[in-house]
Amino acid sequence: MDYKFSHIGIPTTEDKDWDGYCEPGNFHYTDFAKDEYKVEYVKFDDHSTASEMVKTMPHVSYFVDSIEEAIEGRDVLGDIFSPAEGVRVVYINHLGSPVEFLEIKE
């Protein structure tokens, strides 16, 4: 499995200049691709079903070729979801911290 760094995600309760809203995860986000340090801020709605770990702790994100392969034998935090066409996302618990896997199919 090849893991390519994507971004750092930081949960916040503050309002930002949001770039979008992820309906499946019920959160607002900034676009990490526009940030020189690849930082994404996320603000979860009260009714979000994301794990508390994901909602409260920063995460590191990696591009992967296969989410199924990446999560094999891992402690998965919730369901795989699709925030956009051709994009799939899932979080795992890695030694007490969330890690995001991001799969993009063109």
Side-chain angles (χ1 to χ4, degrees):
M1 171 62 59
D2 185 31
Y3 301 95
K4 182 180 175 195
F5 176 77
S6 171
H7 66 274
I8 300 282
I10 301 174
T12 184
T13 57
E14 299 174 4
D15 284 324
K16 303 276 185 195
D17 187 13
W18 303 114
D19 292 305
Y21 182 78
C22 177
E23 191 82 31
N26 300 114
F27 62 86
H28 297 271
Y29 62 88
T30 60
D31 186 352
F32 62 84
K34 292 192 221 175
D35 186 82
E36 66 182 310
Y37 303 112
K38 302 296 183 216
V39 174
E40 166 195 60
Y41 288 95
V42 290
K43 181 179 179 184
F44 292 89
D45 292 347
D46 291 338
H47 64 279
S48 173
T49 59
S51 78
E52 284 304 306
M53 183 181 288
V54 172
K55 290 194 282 189
T56 60
M57 296 177 71
H59 67 268
V60 63
S61 179
Y62 294 95
F63 292 114
V64 296
D65 293 328
S66 168
I67 279 186
E68 284 76 16
E69 188 178 332
I71 64 173
E72 191 172 319
R74 309 287 184 190
D75 179 10
V76 179
L77 301 171
D79 295 330
I80 297 169
F81 65 94
S82 179
E85 188 171 336
V87 179
R88 297 192 319 147
V89 175
V90 71
Y91 296 90
I92 65 163
N93 175 351
H94 176 68
L95 304 174
S97 295
V99 171
E100 177 184 40
F101 295 136
L102 182 59
E103 178 188 285
I104 299 177
K105 299 289 184 189
E106 296 182 29

